[in-house]
Amino acid sequence: MADYKAPLREMNFLLHEVFAADELWARLPGLEGAVDRETADAILEEMAKLAANTLDPINRSGDEEGCHWEDGVVTTPKGFPEAYATFCEGGWGALVGNPEYGGMGMPKMLGAQMEEMINSANISFALYPVLTAGACLALDAHGSEELKQRYLPKMYEGTWSGAMDLTEPHAGTDLGIIRTKAEPQEDGSYKITGNKIFITGGDHDLSENIIHLVLAKLPDAPKGPKGISLFLVPKFLVNEDGSVGERNAVNCGSIEHKMGIKASATCAMNFDGAKGWLVGELNKGLAAMFTMMNYERLGVGIQGLGASERSYQNAVEYARERIQSRSPAGPKQADKAADPILVHPDVRRMLLTQKALIGGGRALSTYVAQWLDIAKFGEGEEKQKAEAMVALLTPVAKAFFTDKGLDCTVLGQQVFGGHGYIREWGQEQLVRDVRITQIYEGTNGIQALDLIGRKTVANNGAFFNLFADDVQQFVDSQADNEALAEFIQPLATELQRLRDVTARVLAAAQEDPHAPGAASVEYLHLFGYVAYAFMWARIAAAALPKTGEDSFYAGQVKTARFFFARLLPQAAALAESVDAGSATLMDLEEELF
Ligand SMILES: Cc1cc2nc3c(=O)[nH]c(=O)nc-3n(C[C@H](O)[C@H](O)[C@H](O)COP(=O)(O)OP(=O)(O)OC[C@H]3O[C@@H](n4cnc5c(N)ncnc54)[C@H](O)[C@@H]3O)c2cc1C
């Protein structure tokens, strides 16, 4: 297995040459002076070292050993507590946190790249700090001043970690039917009783305390999603002086045995009258949790990217070294028994597909992070637009990055032939680890419904039009750039196709209740390909004038060409599937399945 090397060149190129991040940072209130290009590059370089030297070396051993549960106590694999301590000492948990409570207040554009690195190195490890960061975000946005003062500084430090407790045995997608109860107490706290399952980092030995954000219902709450409230329930109660006190009635009943992410503890949690505190308003818990989930969803998408990048790095190294057969154009290394498999067109197809999907995804994740930063630090109309863009693009990023993440890791496994199927090379672990990303944080089917339903049909395409206008603006700005026409013309064609398909779905939704659901997954993928085309056209625009400077830029332009020639044509087929409507899906009688 190749040693992980963070793709710093690609990351710097995107931040500074494609998205001009430092110009944005310099003008956003709250970010000006906090970060510049030099600081950003230094932060990424440090993270690259941590990922390669501390997290990557315990990835395979963590998979082999897994987590342990004994008498309600969960322990993580060998090396995890030490790596977690190193991570926290570096202040990484505080990177994008609120400075008022000990965070560093850095932009998400940096945070997203940091997350890619930790996920490439070790998805199981990454889940612990990433969930904590999501919990901090929800608490910062909705918690009372007292809760924030008490919990946020320790959570940013990593001394205490976070977990999010939504799922119950009978309630996954449909959280409206949860049964966990919250009974008001005289001291203003609540007594929380119920069982949650599949809770990532619900218990472990990495941190001194675990802060659960739990969805529960008051006895007299309205039925369905409008009766859900959010509560903070610590594993250990916290004393007045901020120190850790007695154990709360929260226990881990068991841990799951899973296909992948084996070093991440997936816990069944029992709340037996545990003491909790309301976060945000009563019965508005789902909305508060969505703050965390939007952030998490981009984070889960980035897990798909991280695994893809790792698989790609391994596959490229292997394809250079493994010799089998001769190049169809005649021997390339005549002194050897055969040529490296990198000479074969089909191996190049697999590697280039990975490279193009990762590059497009990394750019789109930076683009979404840019809108998250504007939504957080910006003002007025620009802030409102950013909020809409984040809402629209989050389900695309979560589902498209992770669906393509599985495709990419399977391609990376295929490059190894039979050696990809055995454990030794690490490629099969990546396939197993990335698979969950299509399922948790709302399955990808639910992300697709969210994109087409709440984010498109519900506002009659208003959010979609903002995105389409952004693409159009770029197309118009390059109208006279002949060198870029090979990218701009097909981008304009595919944008028009997406506009037309969106209009047809909006019209169909008025007449057929099944229309949005029937169109949803293919529509999200069509959207994903067009968004990647936008990203690759922007990359090409930044790289083309510099192809004479160094080969990196030529590599970007050639990968853009591959994307447009070999991958983007799938948009036409997806549009045709969307247009097929719901008839063939709904016609088959239930008993004929
Ligand atoms: C390893 C792991 C870690 C997890 N971590 C956490 C965690 O930290 N916290 C937490 O709260 N949960 C966690 N989960 C739970 C996870 O988020 C859920 O499993 C997921 O949301 C799906 O819920 P479900 O399993 O109940 O499936 P169901 O909701 O039963 O769905 C089954 C299938 O039906 C489809 N479906 C359901 N409703 C609809 C609909 N309306 N339209 C179309 N299709 C539909 C789904 O897409 C899916 O394909 C984790 C799960 C796993 C396996």
Side-chain angles (χ1 to χ4, degrees):
M1 191 177 197
D3 291 333
Y4 172 64
K5 244 180 117 211
L8 286 174
R9 181 74 201 267
E10 281 83 354
M11 290 177 169
N12 291 339
F13 167 68
L14 283 175
L15 278 182
H16 307 306
E17 295 169 69
V18 178
F19 289 102
D22 39 355
E23 284 170 30
L24 177 74
W25 299 337
R27 75 171 176 78
L28 284 179
L31 270 185
E32 78 282 69
V35 57
D36 55 16
R37 185 174 180 154
E38 217 175 294
T39 319
D41 292 354
I43 288 175
L44 291 177
E45 260 170 49
E46 282 310 306
M47 174 40 83
K49 284 185 212 152
L50 184 91
N53 303 334
T54 306
L55 308 184
D56 189 47
I58 55 168
N59 186 40
R60 177 149 169 222
S61 55
D63 176 61
E64 282 173 356
E65 185 187 335
C67 291
H68 310 274
W69 180 93
E70 212 178 323
D71 292 334
V73 176
V74 179
T75 45
T76 53
K78 195 161 171 280
F80 271 58
E82 294 79 4
Y84 183 78
T86 307
F87 184 91
C88 296
E89 276 158 25
W92 293 105
L95 192 74
V96 299
N98 184 347
E100 279 179 48
Y101 305 96
M104 285 161 65
M106 289 289 144
K108 182 70 187 168
M109 287 174 94
L110 266 189
Q113 301 204 335
M114 174 202 111
E115 279 179 38
E116 185 197 310
M117 293 187 217
I118 58 174
N119 279 303
S120 280
N122 195 328
I123 293 189
S124 285
F125 179 91
L127 281 162
Y128 297 102
V130 163
L131 271 154
T132 305
C136 288
L137 202 84
L139 198 53
D140 187 32
H142 304 285
S144 67
E145 190 52 37
E146 196 187 337
L147 287 181
K148 290 199 245 186
Q149 299 270 8
R150 177 159 288 212
Y151 291 95
L152 279 178
K154 294 270 191 189
M155 291 173 79
Y156 287 144
E157 271 171 31
T159 316
W160 300 347
S161 59
M164 107 178 180
D165 303 55
L166 291 74
T167 307
E168 297 182 8
H170 67 290
T173 301
D174 187 358
L175 292 168
I177 57 173
I178 60 166
R179 294 187 190 130
T180 299
K181 264 192 327 208
E183 296 162 289
Q185 304 297 296
E186 278 181 3
D187 64 357
S189 69
Y190 290 80
K191 197 164 142 190
I192 311 290
T193 308
N195 302 311
K196 298 283 180 181
I197 59 163
F198 297 163
I199 306 308
T200 301
D203 198 50
H204 54 75
D205 56 353
L206 302 180
S207 59
E208 177 187 76
N209 202 355
I210 299 174
I211 312 306
H212 295 266
L213 288 186
V214 183
L215 289 183
K217 287 184 162 189
L218 261 64
D220 58 352
K223 284 207 175 338
K226 293 201 167 115
I228 299 176
S229 305
L230 181 63
F231 298 89
L232 180 153
V233 185
K235 175 176 170 181
F236 290 99
L237 297 171
V238 176
N239 297 323
E240 276 310 308
D241 65 358
S243 61
V244 160
E246 66 185 82
R247 180 77 193 239
N248 203 356
V250 188
N251 287 293
C252 175
S254 61
I255 56 173
E256 304 297 342
H257 302 281
K258 319 187 285 287
M259 173 180 177
I261 56 162
K262 293 181 188 235
S264 163
T266 307
C267 305
M269 299 302 305
N270 305 323
F271 296 84
D272 300 311
K275 212 171 173 64
W277 288 268
L278 182 70
V279 177
E281 287 178 53
L282 272 180
N283 300 328
K284 300 256 170 76
L286 217 46
M289 194 55 116
F290 272 124
T291 312
M292 176 168 172
M293 283 162 80
N294 263 342
Y295 178 95
E296 287 301 323
R297 281 178 177 160
L298 178 61
V300 173
I302 291 172
Q303 289 169 19
L305 281 180
S308 304
E309 170 66 27
R310 186 71 174 101
S311 171
Y312 171 71
Q313 289 189 14
N314 293 341
V316 170
E317 186 177 289
Y318 191 78
R320 288 189 206 285
E321 286 170 6
R322 174 74 173 170
I323 56 167
Q324 289 294 296
S325 315
R326 287 293 181 195
S327 159
K332 283 275 188 314
Q333 294 189 4
D335 56 324
K336 297 211 171 115
D339 286 332
I341 58 172
L342 187 55
V343 302
H344 303 304
D346 186 54
V347 173
R348 291 174 153 259
R349 173 191 63 80
M350 294 190 271
L351 294 172
L352 267 160
T353 301
Q354 287 186 297
K355 186 170 165 68
L357 292 174
I358 296 164
R362 182 177 295 124
L364 191 63
S365 114
T366 312
Y367 178 74
V368 178
Q370 169 204 279
W371 290 113
L372 275 165
D373 284 334
I374 299 173
K376 182 169 169 188
F377 298 104
E379 292 169 319
E381 255 177 50
E382 189 188 34
K383 182 183 172 77
Q384 275 178 358
K385 174 180 170 182
E387 283 165 357
M389 291 289 264
V390 168
L392 179 79
L393 295 171
T394 297
V396 180
K398 193 276 177 181
F400 200 60
F401 294 177
T402 58
D403 281 350
K404 294 298 151 199
L406 184 72
D407 292 354
C408 279
T409 54
V410 168
L411 285 170
Q413 185 182 31
Q414 192 74 10
V415 168
F416 279 69
H419 300 272
Y421 194 71
I422 60 170
R423 295 184 75 114
E424 186 182 347
W425 294 90
Q427 295 297 74
E428 60 84 39
Q429 185 192 338
L430 289 163
V431 176
R432 288 186 289 105
D433 281 354
V434 85
R435 181 67 181 86
I436 184 60
T437 62
Q438 298 175 294
I439 297 172
Y440 59 22
E441 282 303 317
T443 63
N444 284 0
I446 296 302
Q447 302 302 322
L449 267 185
D450 182 43
L451 171 68
I452 209 157
R454 283 199 304 147
K455 308 294 170 58
T456 307
V457 172
N459 56 43
N460 201 25
F463 291 3
F464 171 79
N465 289 336
L466 289 175
F467 171 74
D469 291 349
D470 214 41
V471 184
Q472 190 65 51
Q473 223 174 0
F474 173 73
V475 166
D476 294 345
S477 73
Q478 301 295 331
D480 299 330
N481 187 347
E482 272 176 37
L484 212 63
E486 61 174 309
F487 305 111
I488 296 302
Q489 279 166 10
L491 173 61
T493 305
E494 294 308 328
L495 175 63
Q496 192 54 48
R497 190 194 305 278
L498 182 62
R499 280 189 197 275
D500 295 344
V501 168
T502 305
R504 287 197 290 273
V505 171
L506 285 173
Q510 303 306 315
E511 321 214 315
D512 173 8
H514 292 305
S520 59
V521 168
E522 282 92 348
Y523 179 80
L524 184 144
H525 279 231
L526 168 63
F527 196 124
Y529 278 112
V530 176
Y532 278 21
F534 178 32
M535 294 298 111
W536 274 114
R538 288 183 68 163
I539 290 171
L544 252 181
K546 301 178 187 166
T547 46
E549 282 177 28
D550 89 46
S551 61
F552 171 83
Y553 297 109
Q556 293 296 308
V557 174
K558 287 179 181 178
T559 311
R561 280 194 188 119
F562 172 85
F563 177 83
F564 276 84
R566 302 281 306 217
L567 301 186
L568 189 58
Q570 294 182 39
L574 288 163
E576 217 170 296
S577 295
V578 173
D579 284 338
S582 69
T584 53
L585 285 173
M586 306 314 292
D587 271 0
L588 192 71
E589 290 78 4
E590 282 187 14
E591 63 275 16
L592 294 181
F593 273 94

